[in-house]
């Protein structure tokens, strides 16, 4: 029949997840490895832009779904804008390296930073106690999908979890390695390793 000779299909392009990488500044190319790692992803595909803390604009925040703070000393004005961004459904990932700081009057992070812990001499730190039920580790639930205990950490920040935070992973000595806190319509995840 002629009607059987017509075929219809719909092409739905996949929108990339837009990520704003905020670098600590003073370190040329510091976000290069992070943006290269993000560019490998296919499902979802990531599209990233790098800015330093002083040049992040409201337009930058309006265009992205996720902000990654890469060892940044966050000024109070940016901290307040990031709080609104997360409350409105944005995601925030904080890499708390040795230069990272957060304004005390902005209550957003899942933990407060303390001193860096140096494990470069002796036995390096290992990660354990992962919450495989959480979506961030979902891809690693199946057998032979990765072994986090083989990673070595030679430095990390000591942190004190906020009361509303969930610890998603710990170091072998017990301190939190990855934490999450939901704020408004979004969530904030922080890692403590350097």
């Amino acid at each position: 029949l002629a009607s059987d000779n017509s075929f219809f299909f719909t092409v739905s392009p996949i929108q990339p997840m837009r990520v704003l990488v905020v670098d600590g500044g003073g370190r040329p190319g510091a976000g290069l490895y992070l943006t290269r790692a993000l560019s490998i992803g296919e499902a979802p595909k990531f599209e990233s832009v790098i800015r330093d803390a002083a040049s992040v604009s409201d337009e930058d925040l309006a265009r992205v779904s996720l902000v990654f703070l890469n060892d940044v000393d966050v000024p109070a004005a940016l901290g307040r804008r990031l709080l609104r961004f997360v409350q409105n459904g944005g995601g925030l990932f904080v890499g708390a390296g040795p230069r990272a700081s957060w304004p005390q009057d902005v209550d957003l992070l899942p933990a407060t930073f303390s001193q860096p812990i140096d494990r470069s001499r002796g036995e390096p730190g290992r990660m354990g106690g992962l919450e495989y039920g959480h979506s961030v580790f979902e891809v690693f639930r199946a057998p032979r999908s990765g072994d986090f205990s083989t990673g070595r950490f030679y430095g990390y920040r000591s942190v004190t979890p906020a009361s509303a935070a969930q610890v998603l992973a710990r170091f072998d000595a017990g301190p939190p390695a990855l934490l999450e806190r939901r704020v408004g319509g979004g969530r904030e995840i922080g890692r403590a390793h350097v």
Side-chain angles (χ1 to χ4, degrees):
L1 298 175
S3 61
D4 290 337
N5 295 333
S6 298
F7 299 95
F8 301 95
F9 66 93
T10 303
V11 175
S12 178
I14 298 172
Q15 293 293 325
M17 176 178 269
R18 293 189 174 98
V19 179
L20 174 62
V21 177
V22 182
D23 258 337
R27 298 170 293 140
L32 176 66
Y33 295 113
L34 180 58
T35 56
R36 290 231 173 123
L38 288 171
S39 70
I40 294 170
E42 294 287 329
K45 186 169 179 64
F46 293 99
E47 182 180 287
S48 57
V49 174
I50 301 176
R51 298 278 188 269
D52 61 38
S55 67
V56 175
S57 68
D58 289 332
E59 292 77 27
D60 289 330
L61 295 175
R63 291 185 189 127
V64 299
S65 302
L66 174 70
V67 174
F68 190 109
L69 297 179
N70 188 21
D71 196 16
V72 178
D73 178 11
V74 177
L78 178 57
R80 287 188 289 275
R81 289 171 40 222
L82 289 171
L83 174 62
R84 284 192 301 275
F85 171 76
V86 173
Q87 287 172 332
N88 291 329
L92 178 64
F93 191 97
V94 178
R99 291 173 283 281
S101 70
W102 186 261
Q104 292 183 353
D105 64 334
V106 181
D107 184 25
L108 174 61
L109 298 187
T112 55
F113 306 145
S114 295
Q115 297 300 316
I117 306 296
D118 182 6
R119 303 259 318 247
S120 60
R121 293 184 175 96
E123 188 67 26
R126 304 225 182 231
M127 193 181 299
L130 280 72
E131 292 293 330
Y132 284 103
H134 190 276
S135 60
V136 77
F137 293 118
E138 183 175 353
V139 70
F140 302 105
R141 282 187 214 165
R144 291 185 235 138
S145 296
D147 183 3
F148 284 90
S149 66
T150 61
R152 295 179 182 167
F153 299 89
Y154 296 96
Y156 52 86
R157 292 290 290 265
S158 175
V159 297
T160 304
S163 60
Q166 177 185 4
V167 177
L168 303 178
R170 293 185 178 277
F171 290 111
D172 55 357
L178 187 68
L179 303 101
E180 177 190 54
R181 180 178 179 192
R182 294 179 182 272
V183 177
R187 66 174 81 176
E188 194 278 331
I189 293 181
R191 68 176 169 92
H193 33 101
V194 232

